[in-house]
């Protein structure tokens, strides 16, 4: 072969190709670059992403510069090479920083050479290129591709010390999640190797499996583990607006759920809450957005942490409802939940539910007769409110009727199981969940008022059905 390689540099031809070849080849470059890119994207899944990203951007830049510089060398063998050499070293460094081998990049080089040579074989005869020139062009083309691969390998190897640092950071992340917590000294020693400043607080972030991550968009102090079945990150400090924007850029196709900001000893708890909240986002109970914060949904996380336990509380405190049909249970429990939430008068509750105040008074007397002392005993009343709030959250995920929905004589069953069981279904058991905006308290009245004595049940007699209970009229 008639070629030589300058150490560390791109190919310099021993026998220069005819310079007029450059004029023949330049008009082919735009369509050739497009053809190469499409073939690489088809053959290599990592480069076949449907939207713009670092893979696709690196591919386009690499192909266009490679073709342009190859033709520039033919037109002027003394053309500067430094900028183009750095391009391919950076491609190699990029692969190392992303935690991948060079297999994809080297395969892309081979595909590019094959597609380019097919174009030469088609255009050469059309332009009456001699067999000698074609052979020389083939020699130069494949030598050029070999050197691009060599430059990428050099950049890849140069970046390997950074991979050693990443390994220290992965070990540190796992150490911070250890139960019981690791000692401060052990954390500080590994943090020094990882070149990581130990913060006073951290925020763990759960990420859906399979999410595409733009690692270069992550802040330098973020620790991450994307290798496991449940990927996650650790963000030093609190989840500020800047950190949220960073996560949105790093996860352009997905979402993230930020746990509660905690001291280092609470790292595992923050991740546990974040993963629980991610499940609630998937089921439609929590808002779906680029970054969901657990701190905005603490009560929901608590209420839905153990659905089976909530169901047991419901069985014990709402057992008296089992004698009612599904429609009655729904209407009575919706009225009770609204009263517990708002502590309103009969007229106010009636306005929330779009019914007549007398209807509210009747229902409250029915509830008093059904649940008895449970409505006057503080612990039981609190347990009932917990159950009803959990049920309401569950219905949001299932797309059932919400507060104030029109009622017929046979209204919907408000999550009531068979044999009178007031079952609270886990969000993960629901299919095709509807999406709702998660705001304040049900009915839009904001935070509930401070509880007052159970004389609040005297929503008023005022005659009509249920007047037999003797509650005070309002």
């Amino acid at each position: 072969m008639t070629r030589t390689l300058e150490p560390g540099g791109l190919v310099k031809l021993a026998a220069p190709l005819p310079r007029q070849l450059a004029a023949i080849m330049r008009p082919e470059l735009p369509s050739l670059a497009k053809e190469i890119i499409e073939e690489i994207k088809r053959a290599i899944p990592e480069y076949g992403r449907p939207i713009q990203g670092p893979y696709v951007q690196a591919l386009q830049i690499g192909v266009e510069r490679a073709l342009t510089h190859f033709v520039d060398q033919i037109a002027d063998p003394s053309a500067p090479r430094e900028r183009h050499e750095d391009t391919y070293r950076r491609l190699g460094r990029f692969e190392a920083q992303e935690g991948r081998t060079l297999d994809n990049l080297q395969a892309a080089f081979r595909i590019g050479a094959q597609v380019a040579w097919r174009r030469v074989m088609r255009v050469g005869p059309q332009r009456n290129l001699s067999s000698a020139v074609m052979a020389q062009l083939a020699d130069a083309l494949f030598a050029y591709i070999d050197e691009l691969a060599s430059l990428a390998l050099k950049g890849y190897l140069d970046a390997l010390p950074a991979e050693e640092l990443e390994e220290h950071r992965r070990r540190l992340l796992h150490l911070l999640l250890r139960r019981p917590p690791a000692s401060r000294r052990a954390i500080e020693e590994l943090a020094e190797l990882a070149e990581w400043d130990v913060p006073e607080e951290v925020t763990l972030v759960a990420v859906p499996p399979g999410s595409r991550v733009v690692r270069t968009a992550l802040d330098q102090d973020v620790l991450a583990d994307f290798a496991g079945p449940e990927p996650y990150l650790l963000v030093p400090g609190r989840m500020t607006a800047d950190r949220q924007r960073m996560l949105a850029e790093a996860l352009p196709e997905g979402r993230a759920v930020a746990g509660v900001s905690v001291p280092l000893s609470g790292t595992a708890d923050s991740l546990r809450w974040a993963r629980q909240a991610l499940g609630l986002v998937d089921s439609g109970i929590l808002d779906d957005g680029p970054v969901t914060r657990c701190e905005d949904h603490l009560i929901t996380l608590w209420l839905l942490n153990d659905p089976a336990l909530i169901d047991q509380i419901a069985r014990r405190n709402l057992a008296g409802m089992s004698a009612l049909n599904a429609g009655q249970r729904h209407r009575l429990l919706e009225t009770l939940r609204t009263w517990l939430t708002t502590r309103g008068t009969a007229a106010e509750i009636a306005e929330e539910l779009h019914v007549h105040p007398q209807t509210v008074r009747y229902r409250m007397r029915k509830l008093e007769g059904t649940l008895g002392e449970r409505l006057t005993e503080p612990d039981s009343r609190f347990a009932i409110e917990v159950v009803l709030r959990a049920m309401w959250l569950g219905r949001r995920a299932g797309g059932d009727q919400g507060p104030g929905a029109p009622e017929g004589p046979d209204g919907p069953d408000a999550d009531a199981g068979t044999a009178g069981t007031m079952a609270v279904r886990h969000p993960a058991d629901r299919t095709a969940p509807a999406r709702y905006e998660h705001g304040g308290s049900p009915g839009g009245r904001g935070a509930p008022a401070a509880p007052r004595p159970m004389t609040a049940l005297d929503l008023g007699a005022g005659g009509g059905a249920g007047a037999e209970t003797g509650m005070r009229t309002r």
Side-chain angles (χ1 to χ4, degrees):
M1 291 187 178
T2 56
R3 70 173 186 261
T4 61
L5 301 182
E6 290 186 352
L10 292 174
V11 173
K12 185 173 182 179
L13 302 176
L17 286 162
R19 294 193 178 191
Q20 59 267 31
L21 276 178
I24 295 174
M25 296 171 69
R26 283 196 198 280
E28 303 289 331
L29 296 188
S31 62
L32 178 57
K34 183 177 179 180
E35 184 179 350
I36 290 173
I37 290 169
E38 290 303 316
E39 181 67 16
I40 291 173
K41 289 170 67 177
R42 185 195 63 77
I44 304 175
E46 289 293 347
Y47 288 111
R49 306 259 181 206
I51 66 170
Q52 287 292 322
Y55 273 117
V56 179
Q57 292 171 359
L59 171 65
Q60 291 176 335
I61 293 172
V63 169
E64 291 168 359
R65 289 188 179 178
L67 293 174
T68 299
H69 185 258
F70 182 71
V71 174
D72 286 346
Q73 273 197 293
I74 295 175
D76 180 8
S78 64
R81 298 186 296 270
E82 289 77 10
R83 178 187 176 192
H84 300 281
E85 292 175 9
D86 185 58
T87 295
Y88 298 100
R89 290 193 187 96
R90 291 166 80 177
L91 284 175
R93 287 197 296 271
F94 177 77
E95 295 297 300
Q97 290 165 359
E98 293 295 302
R100 295 183 294 272
T101 68
L102 275 179
D103 292 347
N104 285 343
L105 187 57
Q106 290 173 341
F109 285 142
R110 289 194 297 271
I111 292 170
Q114 292 165 0
V115 174
W117 181 242
R118 288 201 301 265
R119 180 68 65 91
V120 170
M121 292 292 289
R122 186 169 69 249
V123 174
Q126 296 174 357
R127 297 303 184 97
N128 298 318
L129 297 182
S130 68
S131 58
V133 171
M134 293 280 285
Q136 189 180 3
L137 183 58
D139 187 23
L141 174 62
F142 287 101
Y144 183 74
I145 295 298
D146 286 345
E147 185 61 15
L148 295 185
S150 176
L151 289 167
L153 175 61
K154 186 176 187 306
Y156 184 87
L157 294 175
D158 288 344
L160 286 183
E163 281 300 291
E164 183 178 350
L165 180 65
E166 282 300 309
E167 178 59 28
H168 288 314
R169 292 193 164 204
R170 281 190 289 269
R171 289 174 52 209
L172 174 61
L173 181 55
H174 297 162
L175 181 66
L176 291 171
L177 287 166
R178 181 182 297 175
R179 289 289 194 116
S183 68
R184 181 80 180 190
R185 179 178 178 181
I187 292 173
E188 289 177 346
E189 287 177 352
L190 188 51
E192 184 176 357
L193 292 174
E195 299 180 9
W196 192 71
D197 294 331
V198 180
E200 292 302 317
E201 283 188 311
V202 294
T203 305
L204 275 292
V205 179
V207 178
S211 296
R212 184 172 72 88
V213 181
V214 182
R215 289 176 179 261
T216 52
L218 294 173
D219 293 340
Q220 290 294 317
D221 59 351
V222 172
L223 305 181
D225 183 357
F226 296 108
E230 295 182 289
Y232 63 98
L233 308 94
L234 181 150
V235 177
R238 295 183 174 274
M239 186 53 56
T240 63
D242 287 341
R243 294 289 201 182
Q244 291 187 61
R245 283 191 290 271
M246 176 266 296
L247 289 176
E249 292 174 4
L251 299 163
E253 298 173 1
R255 59 182 180 271
V257 177
V260 179
S261 300
V262 295
L264 286 177
S265 59
T267 300
D269 287 329
S270 182
L271 181 57
R272 176 168 55 86
W273 295 326
R275 284 174 171 166
Q276 180 191 352
L278 181 60
L280 297 180
V281 170
D282 289 338
S283 66
I285 291 178
L286 297 186
D287 293 342
D288 187 1
V291 181
T292 301
R293 303 193 323 158
C294 285
E295 291 185 355
D296 298 333
H297 306 284
L298 294 180
I299 297 299
T300 299
L301 289 172
W302 171 63
L303 286 175
L304 300 181
N305 181 57
D306 192 339
L309 184 57
I310 290 289
D311 187 38
Q312 291 299 320
I313 297 173
R315 289 171 184 268
R316 284 158 176 75
N317 290 277
L318 295 174
M321 307 293 289
S322 61
L324 306 175
N325 65 42
Q328 288 175 315
R329 284 198 300 270
H330 173 77
R331 290 189 288 272
L332 290 179
L333 291 177
E334 194 65 32
T335 302
L336 178 57
R337 185 194 60 78
T338 304
W339 175 74
L340 289 170
T341 301
T342 66
R343 295 299 196 268
T345 65
E348 291 169 338
I349 295 173
E351 183 179 355
E352 292 283 346
L353 299 178
H354 304 288
V355 297
H356 194 278
Q358 283 295 82
T359 301
V360 174
R361 295 186 182 103
Y362 168 76
R363 291 180 186 175
M364 292 304 297
R365 293 184 181 100
K366 183 73 171 177
L367 285 163
E368 185 183 49
T370 303
L371 300 177
E373 294 181 355
R374 290 189 180 92
L375 290 180
T376 59
E377 201 279 314
D379 289 342
S380 295
R381 191 171 68 245
F382 174 73
I384 290 172
E385 182 169 4
V386 167
V387 168
L388 294 180
R389 284 175 178 262
M391 286 180 175
W392 182 75
L393 288 168
R395 289 205 307 276
R396 286 161 54 105
D400 296 343
Q401 287 180 328
E407 299 178 4
D410 298 308
D413 186 349
D415 288 316
T418 60
T421 300
M422 307 307 298
V424 181
R425 290 171 287 174
H426 192 281
D429 295 336
R430 302 182 181 273
T431 58
R435 300 286 178 175
Y436 290 78
E437 292 297 324
H438 185 61
S441 62
R445 298 184 64 88
R452 58 181 180 173
M454 200 51 198
T455 53
L457 267 179
D458 58 10
L459 294 172
E468 69 279 1
T469 57
M471 295 180 178
R472 287 178 10 202
T473 304
R474 287 199 173 186

